[in-house]
Amino acid sequence: MKQANKVTRSALQAMPKIDLHRHLEGSLRLETLLEIATEYKLGYPHRTVEELRAFVQIINDRPEHEVFLGKFSVLRHFYRSPEIIRRVAYEAVADAAADNVQYLELRFSPQALSRIANFDLEKVTDWVIFATETAAKDFNIEVNLIITLLRHESVELATRVAEIAYARADKGIVGLDLAGDEVMFPPAPFIPLFKKAKEVGLGVSIHAGEWTDAGRVDEAMEQLCAERIGHGVRVSESREIASKAIEKGITFEVCLTSNLHTGVVQHLSQHPLKRMLDFGLLVTLNTDDPGVSNISLTDEYIIAVEQLGLGYDDLRMMTLNAAKVAFLPENGRSRLVSHFENIL
Ligand SMILES: [Zn+2]
């Protein structure tokens, strides 16, 4: 069903969507966290979700990436049992489906989910694969998984996690990602891991040009084999690097509210998304961390319309861009593109 040019909240909610950049660890329900805090006596307030909210969501925090990443350090304390891991993975998919996301690439760090309870990294990965496959069937949504390496952790640990991803290429994992503090930890030590990812057929998405400059986008394209850049919004500061990205067909996974919360932009109306589109860059619109930022993809579409002046045609184009660069085999991508061309 075509939505014509209506851009009301209900039309945007009903619009079939794709999210290529969403972290499982940033997608936890407050109600679930409250239950876990109560059951495991975690030392966080656990009488109401409102008491807990400030610990795990951005409320009135300083807009800095260290503060944003700090929420994930708190969230790690909630991964206490295999049942919890399976539950949060299942719920993350259910929540995406409820927002009419029809194709989701959910990324996660097995090492983050394992840290507190010292779970086996392979087992954690398989719990997430199983839970998301179950949820995908239950909620009629297509889901693929990306494993995220963290640049502020050791290369040795990243190598172990990358091996788990390589072994599951075509068996539940479709891509490899690099995230974490890009200011303090340059990506160079991780380059061989991403070269290998390409060799075994995984897609590569690299967080870059978010908290640093356009040069990091260049580095991700040239050295880390990135096909897609997480955020990458600072590319808007360099026409030269933007042109190179267009030439190479690199796609940008833009997440508006996340950029506000980490201080990349001071106000959403100043976000460079429009400038990126005007440059002719391939851009997609995503959530990053709907739980931490307390948003849905529909909310992000509304911001794009109300704060940045985009219209239905822009949202449609970004959705089709996402279908074209999904980490799927060629025939899967074509099927996804045709599906969204028909329903949007
Ligand atoms: Zn991200």
Side-chain angles (χ1 to χ4, degrees), residues 21-23 107 177 179 207 210 230-231 255 258 288-289:
H21 190 128
R22 181 179 300 215
H23 296 261
R107 56 189 76 195
D177 167 37
H207 284 70
E210 181 183 10
H231 303 282
C255 313
S258 172
D288 209 14
D289 300 290

Side-chain angles (χ1 to χ4, degrees), residues 209-255:
E210 181 183 10
W211 304 321
T212 56
D213 55 28
R216 290 287 186 221
V217 174
D218 196 32
E219 183 180 44
M221 295 190 288
E222 294 292 339
Q223 296 179 42
L224 285 127
C225 314
E227 298 148 72
R228 297 181 352 208
I229 306 286
H231 303 282
V233 294
R234 302 288 292 271
V235 75
S236 60
E237 295 165 10
S238 167
R239 270 201 182 269
E240 189 194 337
I241 295 171
S243 298
K244 201 194 273 187
I246 292 166
E247 241 168 66
K248 291 170 86 73
I250 302 293
T251 303
F252 291 81
E253 303 160 351
V254 168
C255 313

Side-chain angles (χ1 to χ4, degrees), residues 174-188:
V174 297
L176 196 65
D177 167 37
L178 184 64
D181 188 338
E182 74 163 322
V183 179
M184 301 294 290
F185 300 89

Side-chain angles (χ1 to χ4, degrees), residues 19 26 28 52 66 86 92 116 135 196 198 200 207 231 236 243 289 293 297 306-307 318:
D19 196 334
L28 281 66
L52 185 61
E66 293 94 338
R86 285 193 283 260
I116 293 297
K196 175 86 185 286
K198 289 292 288 180
V200 302
H207 284 70
H231 303 282
S236 60
S243 298
D289 300 290
S293 288
L297 190 51
E306 292 183 352
Q307 303 274 343
M318 288 192 283

